Amino acid sequence: MRQELLAWFAQEGLLLQNITTGSEDPEHDEVKVIVRAPIVALGHGREDFRECPDPVAFGYPESCLELMTLDDFHWFILRWFEGAVAAGRARCFVCNKVLDNTSGHPWDAVFVSADWHCWLVVHFDCKRYLGRDLKGRNPFEVELREPEMFDLRLTESEGQ
Ligand SMILES: [Zn+2]
């Protein structure tokens, strides 16, 4: 992840820290601090977690982060998820069904800010079970992959 993006998340207060101490060997007691930026989830399976996409990789100008608010970033992530749904690659975090825009089961992108700092997608009808499905899981245990380069069509709906 680019330093600029990491710094932007820090500025927004969105970095997670995990502090562990190597207590097994008291002679060499070391404190390990792992810092993690928010992540995105295309589903709740082991292979579904991604590093946060970088707007610059999707055609935003290099300096875009200076101007972006958190709302702008939510919007960008929503576009990324729309690309994922259009590609048939996004699953509901709760029921694990592939999301689409035609089956009459609307979905929403949610940013989980408590403990996780993770964007995920879920059916409207499944949202109420989200808390249950996040419980007992640790964001530092999930394996992250590179985010897919979905086609975001960023300029189409802006109308300017
Ligand atoms: Zn669902």
Side-chain angles (χ1 to χ4, degrees):
M1 177 169 287
R2 280 190 310 135
Q3 277 305 315
E4 287 85 352
L5 186 52
L6 205 58
W8 188 85
F9 282 130
Q11 173 195 314
E12 296 290 326
L14 290 179
L15 291 186
L16 280 184
Q17 272 193 9
N18 191 30
I19 300 168
T20 53
T21 49
S23 52
E24 280 168 29
D25 180 2
E27 296 268 303
H28 300 95
D29 202 13
E30 60 174 314
V31 178
K32 230 162 80 176
V33 181
I34 302 170
V35 176
R36 175 168 277 184
I39 58 179
V40 293
L42 287 170
H44 66 205
R46 274 172 55 95
E47 299 88 31
D48 290 334
F49 294 91
R50 303 288 181 268
E51 282 183 22
C52 186
D54 187 334
V56 169
F58 291 89
Y60 281 61
E62 282 281 333
S63 59
C64 66
L65 291 171
E66 291 166 24
L67 299 169
M68 278 179 98
T69 64
L70 187 54
D71 274 347
D72 295 330
F73 210 91
H74 286 316
W75 189 88
F76 163 68
I77 297 292
L78 178 62
R79 293 276 107 62
W80 188 81
F81 275 130
E82 283 176 350
V85 170
R89 296 288 307 281
R91 288 168 179 275
C92 173
F93 197 88
V94 169
C95 72
N96 204 36
K97 293 203 176 95
V98 175
L99 297 170
D100 65 63
N101 295 317
T102 53
S103 65
H105 293 288
W107 56 272
D108 200 8
V110 175
F111 182 59
V112 180
S113 53
D115 301 329
W116 270 77
H117 292 180
C118 176
W119 284 276
L120 54 83
V121 273
V122 62
H123 290 115
F124 277 110
D125 294 343
C126 293
K127 254 190 208 177
R128 73 187 100 152
Y129 305 110
L130 195 53
R132 178 198 67 189
D133 282 34
L134 285 166
K135 214 184 263 175
R137 304 185 70 182
N138 180 343
F140 286 93
E141 283 168 1
V142 300
E143 198 181 305
L144 295 183
R145 302 189 177 192
E146 292 270 315
E148 283 84 346
M149 298 297 294
F150 295 120
D151 179 8
L152 304 200
R153 298 189 195 94
L154 286 166
T155 50
E156 193 180 82
S157 53
E158 278 177 302
Q160 37 186 314

